[in-house]
Amino acid sequence: MDLQQYAQENDTPIFSRQALTKLGYHHRHIQKLLEEGVLERLRPGYYRVLNVGFLLNEDLQEVCIQVKHGVVCMESALAYYGLSTVRSSEVWMAIPNHSRAPRIVYPPVRYCYFAESTHQYGIIRPEGFPVYSKEKTLADILHHRNKIGMQTVKEAFRDYLRLKDCNLNELLRASEVCHVGERMFDLLQMLT
């Protein structure tokens, strides 16, 4: 099997050593692919397939591989959707309460612990890795506005309301799930 073709078809350029072994690539094969320039070692046990043309969100994808039940959230999700000019130096990941957060050296990760019902709501996989929908992300940042900052919250909401695919019904539904329904209503009235 051609690894570059597999990566392109499955929209995943980053593989762990374990995943490559499951695909039939053992130590000698991996070493040969590194020498041929097909693979690049990101760090011990993790590799990126080169020349597949879709590596815009590789840090997010790399973290999602390592955090089994993690979902890209908060500032990282805002940046992914282009709803904020703030670029965090950390990847924000939501994990269920009482989960053990894996220690990741690079890229740095900031964990947010969510209740199970809140954690499961609004997960989409537009590029193969889990990220919260725009509406769920906005409800989350409103709920955690003290961590994010009210200026960032207002900027994100203004940008969202300008979008053609703005869905106020889904935004209100997400705000109920995240227990910020009244605050959401007040903020929307203030901004519109």
Side-chain angles (χ1 to χ4, degrees), residues 9-26:
E9 289 172 0
N10 292 284
D11 201 27
T12 179
I14 298 171
F15 294 90
S16 66
R17 179 179 291 277
Q18 183 180 18
L20 289 171
T21 302
K22 284 182 183 177
L23 291 171
Y25 293 92
H26 298 286

Side-chain angles (χ1 to χ4, degrees), residues 4-180:
Q4 288 174 319
Q5 181 181 351
Y6 180 84
Q8 189 75 41
E9 289 172 0
N10 292 284
D11 201 27
T12 179
I14 298 171
F15 294 90
S16 66
R17 179 179 291 277
Q18 183 180 18
L20 289 171
T21 302
K22 284 182 183 177
L23 291 171
Y25 293 92
H26 298 286
H27 178 72
R28 287 187 309 272
H29 298 114
I30 294 171
Q31 196 60 40
K32 185 177 180 191
L33 292 172
L34 286 166
E35 291 167 5
E36 293 174 350
V38 175
L39 281 180
E40 172 188 34
R41 186 185 322 263
L42 296 172
R43 67 171 169 277
Y46 286 90
Y47 305 90
R48 176 175 50 207
V49 179
L50 298 175
N51 301 320
V52 287
F54 54 84
L55 301 176
L56 297 175
N57 297 298
E58 63 188 38
D59 285 347
L60 301 179
Q61 189 167 19
E62 186 176 334
V63 171
C64 288
I65 288 171
Q66 298 176 67
V67 183
K68 296 216 184 279
H69 301 292
V71 182
V72 176
C73 68
M74 308 285 248
E75 285 185 8
S76 295
L78 288 176
Y80 176 77
Y81 292 121
L83 293 176
S84 176
T85 56
V86 175
R87 294 294 182 251
S88 177
S89 60
E90 304 166 304
V91 174
W92 288 64
M93 292 294 288
I95 58 175
N97 280 343
H98 311 295
S99 293
R100 185 170 168 250
R103 185 172 169 269
I104 299 173
V105 178
Y106 183 83
V109 177
R110 182 167 182 178
Y111 292 103
C112 299
Y113 294 89
F114 287 7
E116 190 65 35
S117 61
T118 309
H119 182 264
Q120 291 299 315
Y121 185 82
I123 299 173
I124 60 174
R125 296 175 186 274
E127 292 187 43
F129 58 85
V131 61
Y132 285 125
S133 67
K134 294 173 192 169
E135 294 79 14
K136 170 68 163 58
T137 298
L138 292 171
D140 285 340
I141 65 167
L142 184 58
H143 187 265
H144 297 281
R145 63 197 172 280
N146 293 336
K147 290 180 185 177
I148 300 294
M150 206 54 202
Q151 190 63 35
T152 301
V153 171
K154 287 178 183 176
E155 176 190 26
F157 272 86
R158 281 189 192 108
D159 290 349
Y160 176 77
L161 292 171
R162 291 182 190 126
L163 296 175
K164 289 181 182 179
D165 64 344
C166 169
N167 184 341
L168 292 179
N169 288 332
E170 179 57 28
L171 186 61
L172 293 173
R173 200 171 308 120
S175 71
E176 293 300 323
V177 170
C178 296
H179 309 290
V180 290

